Amino acid sequence: MAARAPPQHGNSRLSAELDFFLYLDHADANEAFGRVILEAAASGVLTIVHPKHRSTFGDTVDYALPGQAQALIGRYAADSVAYQERVERTLAEVRRRYGRAGFADRLASLTEPERSDSVAGGVRPGRIWVDPRSPSR
């Protein structure tokens, strides 16, 4: 993959040293979030991880099981255009899902005033209502 242009983003040292980042942890291992996966993806390295991380990263990265990753790497190594397109899609998805604008949007959605007519009882799903008269306060 020597024909790849150096990235203009992220951790240039990591992306300058790696063409692929492969993270195939044990299927039963518990990763709280996967920061190392996000860091690799955000640095411009084509990132392939175990499918169990799909619920966290969605379309941000590629997925493969042990034994399948070699073929996926081979396809990208043989097609520099597909490789670069995937890296660009990954970077766009990282910005959309985890960038400042996305973060601000998520915060705004949490601070929107609650509408009592939106759900029976005035409590929106995913919110915890605490009775101010509760002795545990």
Side-chain angles (χ1 to χ4, degrees), residues 5 16 18 44 47 56 70-71 74 78 91 99-100 105 112 114-115 117 121 125 127 131-132 135:
L18 298 177
T47 304
T56 302
Q70 298 87 334
L91 291 170
R100 289 182 199 152
D105 290 345
E112 291 172 353
E114 300 223 12
R115 294 181 45 190
D117 62 338
R127 303 279 175 120
D131 185 343

Side-chain angles (χ1 to χ4, degrees), residues 20-27 37 46-55 57-58 60-76 86:
F20 297 94
F21 178 82
L22 187 61
Y23 191 85
L24 300 178
D25 54 336
H26 190 277
I37 296 168
L46 198 143
T47 304
I48 302 168
V49 303
H50 193 284
K52 72 178 191 175
H53 297 288
R54 187 177 301 275
S55 64
F57 295 103
T60 305
V61 299
D62 280 347
Y63 301 92
L65 291 168
Q68 298 173 336
Q70 298 87 334
L72 185 56
I73 289 170
R75 284 195 299 273
Y76 280 122
R86 180 53 172 139

Side-chain angles (χ1 to χ4, degrees), residues 10-11 14 21 33-45 47 57:
N11 183 339
L14 176 64
F21 178 82
F33 170 72
R35 180 175 165 182
V36 69
I37 296 168
L38 180 58
E39 288 174 347
S43 72
V45 174
T47 304
F57 295 103

Side-chain angles (χ1 to χ4, degrees), residues 1 46 73-86:
M1 301 289 322
L46 198 143
I73 289 170
R75 284 195 299 273
Y76 280 122
D79 187 347
S80 61
V81 173
Y83 177 95
Q84 193 58 41
E85 288 173 352
R86 180 53 172 139

